[in-house]
Amino acid sequence: MNGRAGVVLAGGIGSRMRSKLPKVLHKLCGREMLLYPVETLRQAGVEYVVVVVSPSNEESVRSLLGDSVEYVVQHQPLGTGHALLQTASVLRDRADHLAVIGGDTPLVRPSSLKSLLDVHLSRRASMSIIVSSADMPTDMGRLARRPDGRVTGIVEAVEANGATVSQEVNGGAYWFQASWLWAQLAQIPIAGRGEFYLTSLAEMAAQQEVGIETLEVSEPSEVLGINDRVQMANAVAALHGRIRGEWMRQGVTMVDPTTTFIDASVHLGQDTIIYPNTMILGPSRVGSECTLGPGSVIRDSQIGDRCRVVASHVEGAVLEEDVEMGPFSHLRTGAYIERGVHLGNFCEVKNSRLGQGSAMGHFGYVGDATVGAGVNLGAGAVTCNYDGVEHQNTVIEDGAFIGSDTMLVAPVRVGEGSITAAGSVVTDDVPPARLAVGVPAKIRRSKRLTEKKR
Ligand code: UD1
Ligand code: CA
């Protein structure tokens, strides 16, 4: 046996969050907190991962992670040492070195866990700990050392009783030599609050004079843990900073990074410029050479190359290349905007396709419609798609010209090259190359169209 395995501790109650939602399922930059440590283990080369869950979060954690990990239920929240002990049945004969990380510790980098393993193996340590000496929250455990630097234990904040503690915090991510660990876990003494602390293993290791090593993280935010919502906000801020940094290094310009928020699952293309107060959320993909913002929100959407989205909301939509929109327009779920479309201000599009090069310049609504190429939708044109009971479809064929303030009462079709006059209320289909005028609209032969044809 020379395998590695990992454990994520996600039992416990997370009471300091004051939330109905289990702590590890709160989202950070669009992804559940628990996905971060699981992913960290994977990227550090640990394939077999066991997640310790509580009876109250088991179901939701299982539905989040599925078959990708193994589960162990900790029936009572008796502390981190007790939580790890529960994994003995599935892990005892599985690996000779175990990585352990808190489910509420999302920022630890895979590279740090790997470096810690290098130290752990090369020094033949029994326990190795990620630490930071930066100024960190007071509720974290503190390393205690002898004058010669040897670790003598970890002092938990609740156990410190006002005694002076070191500045060096326990980051809550470890490697253990498995046979040593299994022999010790059941021996952890009960602490003041009736819990069995994983961190008591440090003192036990020191007393047995077995190897105990530490690795100082290069970036202190890596060890930020999340116990309450203030710490969560701090962790989210650090994650955002990391995400922004990565994209800027990939060639994305952010005019004001501090007001630019990009979720973890977003992809951005080179030479895209993001102006202030812009959020790009969910699994969104933005092409290259786009201009987003100021003041745009893009969620769960695909945006092609060279698009321009100014002060607008794009949700569940697809934009092909060279689309421009805004300020103040709104694409909703199922909007598919083909190449070269122009959407100006106060335009709303839902569950509709707008064909190549079509234009909708000023306030209007297109819902449940198929709009062809080269169509002009005049100011105030509306597809009246909802009769109070059902949604109905509208079709506007290529090259049609929808006059200002036209109401298209669905279901209705406007034929290729037809015109609707300003203010018309179109209740019946308009054949190709005709003119619809009036309320309700009458169909006429269009002089303009006849001339055009000649
Ligand atoms: C823990 C460490 C502390 C360290 C800090 C880093 C202990 C005793 N203390 O403190 O030294 O500085 O993390 O962030 O380990 N959990 C269970 N079952 C339980 C209790 C907790 O699975 O019975 C899980 C929690 O879901 C959590 C993780 O273990 O994800 C850490 O527990 P938590 O209570 O948050 O420990 P801290 O007080 O933050
Ligand atoms: Ca914690």
Side-chain angles (χ1 to χ4, degrees):
M1 183 174 61
N2 61 358
R4 316 263 182 266
V7 177
V8 180
L9 302 176
I13 28 192
S15 54
R16 288 166 280 183
M17 289 295 281
R18 297 188 184 275
S19 177
K20 286 185 189 155
L21 185 69
K23 173 166 82 171
V24 292
L25 294 176
H26 280 257
K27 285 190 177 177
L28 281 64
C29 301
R31 302 177 76 213
E32 286 81 0
M33 193 186 298
L34 187 55
L35 294 179
Y36 290 87
V38 171
E39 184 72 3
T40 299
L41 287 172
R42 288 269 150 71
Q43 288 181 11
V46 179
E47 269 160 34
Y48 190 80
V49 175
V50 177
V51 179
V52 180
V53 293
S54 69
S56 61
N57 71 17
E58 179 184 3
E59 202 186 316
S60 37
V61 170
R62 275 183 190 271
S63 66
L64 174 71
L65 295 170
D67 295 335
S68 63
V69 300
E70 193 64 53
Y71 302 91
V72 166
V73 184
Q74 181 194 23
H75 290 281
Q76 280 183 295
L78 295 178
T80 46
H82 178 262
L84 186 55
L85 179 60
Q86 310 311 301
T87 67
S89 54
V90 290
L91 281 175
R92 196 183 286 276
D93 301 316
R94 188 134 205 148
D96 51 7
H97 292 280
L98 279 185
V100 177
I101 183 167
D104 61 351
T105 313
L107 281 128
V108 172
R109 286 188 187 271
S111 55
S112 300
L113 218 49
K114 276 190 193 162
S115 306
L116 184 68
L117 178 62
D118 291 343
V119 173
H120 177 77
L121 294 177
S122 64
R123 310 249 173 93
R124 298 173 178 276
S126 296
M127 176 178 190
S128 299
I129 312 162
I130 285 202
V131 300
S132 171
S133 307
D135 192 14
M136 282 288 151
T138 51
D139 62 356
M140 296 183 78
R142 253 65 191 178
L143 274 281
R145 291 183 189 264
R146 284 197 323 215
D148 66 359
R150 229 186 111 74
V151 174
T152 55
I154 295 173
V155 184
E156 290 304 319
V158 286
E159 309 284 318
N161 297 323
T164 324
V165 288
S166 75
Q167 163 116 336
E168 189 184 14
V169 296
N170 164 26
Y174 321 83
W175 277 100
F176 291 101
Q177 198 265 315
S179 57
W180 179 82
L181 178 72
W182 301 126
Q184 306 309 311
L185 269 179
Q187 314 296 324
I188 292 179
I190 193 158
R193 294 192 166 183
E195 288 191 15
F196 298 89
Y197 294 153
L198 179 58
T199 46
S200 298
L201 292 168
E203 192 179 327
M204 293 159 75
Q207 279 168 2
Q208 296 165 21
E209 300 193 3
V210 298
I212 173 161
E213 294 295 333
T214 59
L215 178 91
E216 169 93 28
V217 285
S218 47
E219 180 194 312
S221 66
E222 276 191 63
V223 301
L224 283 174
I226 300 175
N227 294 328
D228 60 29
R229 301 204 198 212
V230 174
Q231 293 178 344
M232 183 161 76
N234 292 335
V236 167
L239 275 169
H240 271 138
R242 213 183 253 189
I243 294 168
R244 287 190 293 254
E246 280 161 16
W247 287 119
M248 287 190 276
R249 280 186 283 273
Q250 294 289 322
V252 173
T253 296
M254 295 184 195
V255 174
D256 179 12
T258 58
T259 63
T260 302
F261 300 94
I262 298 162
D263 269 356
S265 45
V266 167
H267 186 275
L268 301 172
Q270 205 180 334
D271 286 322
T272 280
I273 301 177
I274 305 175
Y275 284 93
N277 296 317
T278 294
M279 306 181 89
I280 308 171
L281 309 170
S284 293
R285 242 192 125 77
V286 177
S288 55
E289 295 174 61
C290 290
T291 303
L292 308 178
S296 290
V297 177
I298 290 148
R299 185 194 296 277
D300 306 338
S301 294
Q302 313 288 314
I303 294 183
D305 297 341
R306 298 175 304 279
C307 287
R308 196 167 149 257
V309 180
V310 182
S312 290
H313 282 230
V314 177
E315 295 165 307
V318 178
L319 278 67
E320 291 185 354
E321 308 82 67
D322 304 299
V323 171
E324 52 175 26
M325 69 179 286
F328 317 121
S329 281
H330 187 188
L331 297 182
R332 292 165 51 202
T333 306
Y336 188 104
I337 312 299
E338 289 184 18
R339 169 194 288 256
V341 165
H342 164 77
L343 293 157
N345 38 217
F346 307 106
C347 302
E348 176 179 339
V349 179
K350 180 213 87 173
N351 188 35
S352 296
R353 192 171 180 111
L354 261 63
Q356 245 186 61
S358 287
M360 181 181 180
H362 330 270
F363 47 95
Y365 172 60
V366 171
D368 306 306
T370 306
V371 178
V375 169
N376 187 78
L377 290 147
V382 168
T383 56
C384 309
N385 63 326
Y386 186 54
D387 57 16
V389 183
E390 286 183 322
H391 288 88
Q392 307 286 354
N393 297 326
T394 301
V395 177
I396 304 173
E397 293 179 357
D398 292 352
F401 182 96
I402 308 300
S404 292
D405 228 2
T406 295
M407 300 294 126
L408 298 165
V409 183
V412 72
R413 171 183 289 264
V414 178
E416 188 175 340
S418 279
I419 295 176
T420 68
S424 53
V425 175
V426 181
T427 52
D428 292 319
D429 289 359
V430 183
R434 296 293 160 88
L435 173 66
V437 191
V439 182
K442 299 230 160 46
I443 313 295
R444 294 191 190 153
R445 286 185 191 284
S446 156
K447 201 172 153 200
R448 190 172 132 191
L449 286 170
T450 325
E451 275 165 7
K452 246 196 204 169
K453 264 191 181 165
R454 265 193 233 137

